[in-house]
Amino acid sequence: MGSRAPHVLVDTTPAKTIVVYRNGDQFYVGRKFVLSRRRVATFAGLLDQLNEQVAVPFGVRRLFTPTRGRPVRELDALQAGGKYVAAGREAFKKLDYIHIVPRKPAKMRKLKEIKPVVHCNINVPSRWQMVHRPSRQINVFTNGRLFIPPVKIIIPKFSLVEWNCVLATIGEKVFPLGGVRKLFTMNGHLLDDSKDLQDNHFYVAAGLETFKHFPYWKCPRVPGDVQQKYTDIEKYSRRKKKEDPKAKDPQKHDSSPPKAQDSVFYAKEEKKKPKAEPLVRSGADGDVYKAQTPSGESQGAPEVKEDLDMTVEVPEDQKPAEMVKEVQVTQSDLLGFEGDGEIFPLEDTMKSEVSRCVEEAVCNTRKRR
């Protein structure tokens, strides 16, 4: 018997890769497609697949070669790595499809660096002046607390219009006793307007208490030039005090210690009241209720003396105590009482009284019924 050839069930035809352009579109770069017998079995299936991925008016109906425009009608006519043009019902439009190159992205022009405009502080008349104040960045110490470092605060420009808004903004990050009520420079100069604030300067926030003169500028966060400036100011003030000994020391407000001077936990010393003058006894009898200088109407009038026979009512608690005699009870009082020479024992009288009360109670109950 002759041997039979083995039956091949698997299609071993290799897949083909083609590039498809759009008819009449000189800007369409082309799209790659991989054709395998498993997915695309017929030429009509290929047109359906191209129709899904290549946007052609009225759908892909025909396929042409790119150079001469010959139509392709079978899958076997397609070559691996070949280039073709997909078209609808319109005629082939001759273009140089093979040399269509994707456009390079346009180079972005380098924008010149825009520098911020430097505004000069020129004083102009109020008619032309605009309300424009940039925000301020300041550093604030707490009054009397050297060990607390300064807090960096940015005050927005809309808060600079009112001074109370500035203090409220500072009070959100600095907490002196009683809230922020005053703002000083480091040498104790009181500020009352936002125009006096300067960028990156150091200030001291205080409450209702007075400013405490401490060397705040010796903090390590303070720049060296600022420290040198305030050190020179301190040396100059000390030299001036030595030259003028009569000048008063602003640090010593009174003899009380600094802790008890401004703290609310210490009672303040009250002012000494002047001593009351002793009463001057005047008058003939030395009576304190008599006027020291009699009026003009009473001068020359005779004095009326008190009547000696006048009776005066005295309160019960001021009356003298009286002696009360004891009452002696005899045997006759215990047995009864005497009347017309007969003695009635108490026992018989009590019995008669009880019987009479019972009879009255019985009569009352009968009447009610």
Side-chain angles (χ1 to χ4, degrees):
M1 296 179 65
S3 61
R4 294 182 180 180
H7 182 70
V8 180
L9 298 178
V10 179
D11 190 1
T12 58
T13 305
K16 298 178 181 180
T17 303
I18 61 174
V19 180
V20 180
Y21 296 94
R22 191 158 50 195
N23 186 26
D25 193 350
Q26 60 180 350
F27 302 105
Y28 191 77
V29 181
R31 192 179 182 108
K32 286 185 179 182
F33 288 91
V34 179
L35 305 179
S36 63
R37 286 288 183 176
R38 294 180 182 180
R39 295 184 180 181
V40 181
T42 61
F43 188 76
L46 173 61
L47 295 179
D48 292 338
Q49 186 178 358
L50 295 175
N51 194 21
E52 292 177 359
Q53 300 187 19
V54 179
V56 176
F58 305 106
V60 178
R61 294 290 182 268
R62 288 182 289 182
L63 207 62
F64 297 95
T65 57
T67 54
R68 297 183 180 181
R70 292 178 180 180
V72 180
R73 294 185 177 90
E74 296 178 357
L75 287 177
D76 297 335
L78 297 175
Q79 297 179 3
K83 297 180 180 181
Y84 300 92
V85 179
R89 297 186 182 278
E90 72 275 7
F92 174 75
K93 296 178 182 180
K94 192 174 182 180
L95 290 174
D96 191 5
Y97 294 102
I98 298 174
H99 297 93
I100 294 178
V101 182
R103 286 186 174 184
K104 295 181 180 180
K107 294 183 179 179
M108 296 292 293
R109 295 181 180 178
K110 292 183 179 180
L111 298 176
K112 295 182 179 179
E113 185 179 357
I114 301 175
K115 297 181 179 180
V117 180
V118 179
H119 298 278
C120 56
N121 296 326
I122 301 176
N123 295 324
V124 297
S126 60
R127 181 179 178 182
W128 305 102
Q129 187 177 8
M130 297 177 65
V131 182
H132 177 74
R133 295 183 181 179
S135 58
R136 299 291 184 189
Q137 182 176 342
I138 60 175
N139 303 280
V140 182
F141 287 94
T142 306
N143 187 29
R145 301 179 185 178
L146 288 175
F147 298 103
I148 299 178
V151 181
K152 193 175 184 178
I153 301 174
I154 298 176
I155 303 175
K157 59 183 179 181
F158 60 83
S159 298
L160 294 171
V161 180
E162 293 187 6
W163 183 244
N164 291 332
C165 297
V166 175
L167 297 179
T169 306
I170 297 172
E172 294 177 359
K173 295 187 177 181
V174 181
F175 310 100
L177 190 63
V180 178
R181 303 295 181 88
K182 303 173 188 176
L183 192 67
F184 297 89
T185 58
M186 286 193 290
N187 57 352
H189 179 65
L190 180 62
L191 303 179
D192 56 356
D193 195 353
S194 59
K195 295 179 181 178
D196 301 333
L197 297 177
Q198 299 181 11
D199 285 334
N200 300 321
H201 276 236
F202 291 81
Y203 301 95
V204 180
L208 297 175
E209 71 275 10
T210 56
F211 177 78
K212 298 182 180 179
H213 292 265
F214 291 134
Y216 300 99
W217 55 87
K218 293 184 179 179
C219 179
R221 294 193 181 184
V222 180
D225 54 345
V226 179
Q227 291 184 4
Q228 186 64 32
K229 173 185 174 183
Y230 282 95
T231 304
D232 295 341
I233 293 174
E234 186 182 13
K235 290 180 180 178
Y236 176 75
S237 60
R238 288 180 180 177
R239 191 184 308 162
K240 192 174 181 181
K241 288 176 185 177
K242 290 180 180 179
E243 293 176 357
D244 188 9
K246 295 182 180 180
K248 295 182 179 179
D249 188 2
Q251 298 181 7
K252 298 179 181 179
H253 295 282
D254 49 17
S255 59
S256 60
K259 186 177 289 185
Q261 179 180 345
D262 301 322
S263 178
V264 296
F265 299 102
Y266 290 85
K268 296 182 179 179
E269 296 183 0
E270 297 182 355
K271 296 181 179 179
K272 295 182 179 180
K273 298 181 179 179
K275 295 182 179 180
E277 297 180 358
L279 291 174
V280 180
R281 298 174 63 88
S282 61
D285 299 334
D287 193 356
V288 296
Y289 298 101
K290 291 186 178 181
Q292 298 180 5
T293 56
S295 60
E297 298 179 355
S298 61
Q299 290 181 0
E303 184 179 358
V304 179
K305 296 183 180 181
E306 296 181 357
D307 190 3
L308 299 177
D309 298 333
M310 182 182 296
T311 58
V312 180
E313 294 184 359
V314 182
E316 292 292 335
D317 55 349
Q318 295 183 7
K319 290 182 180 180
E322 298 179 356
M323 296 295 295
V324 180
K325 296 181 180 180
E326 295 182 359
V327 179
Q328 295 180 358
V329 181
T330 59
Q331 187 177 2
S332 60
D333 295 333
L334 297 173
L335 296 175
F337 60 92
E338 294 181 0
D340 297 336
E342 296 181 1
I343 297 174
F344 298 92
L346 286 173
E347 192 176 18
D348 296 340
T349 55
M350 291 177 66
K351 286 181 179 180
S352 60
E353 284 291 330
V354 170
S355 59
R356 185 174 59 80
C357 291
V358 171
E359 290 178 358
E360 289 181 357
V362 172
C363 293
N364 292 331
T365 52
R366 289 178 180 175
K367 288 179 180 178
R368 289 176 184 176
R369 291 178 181 176

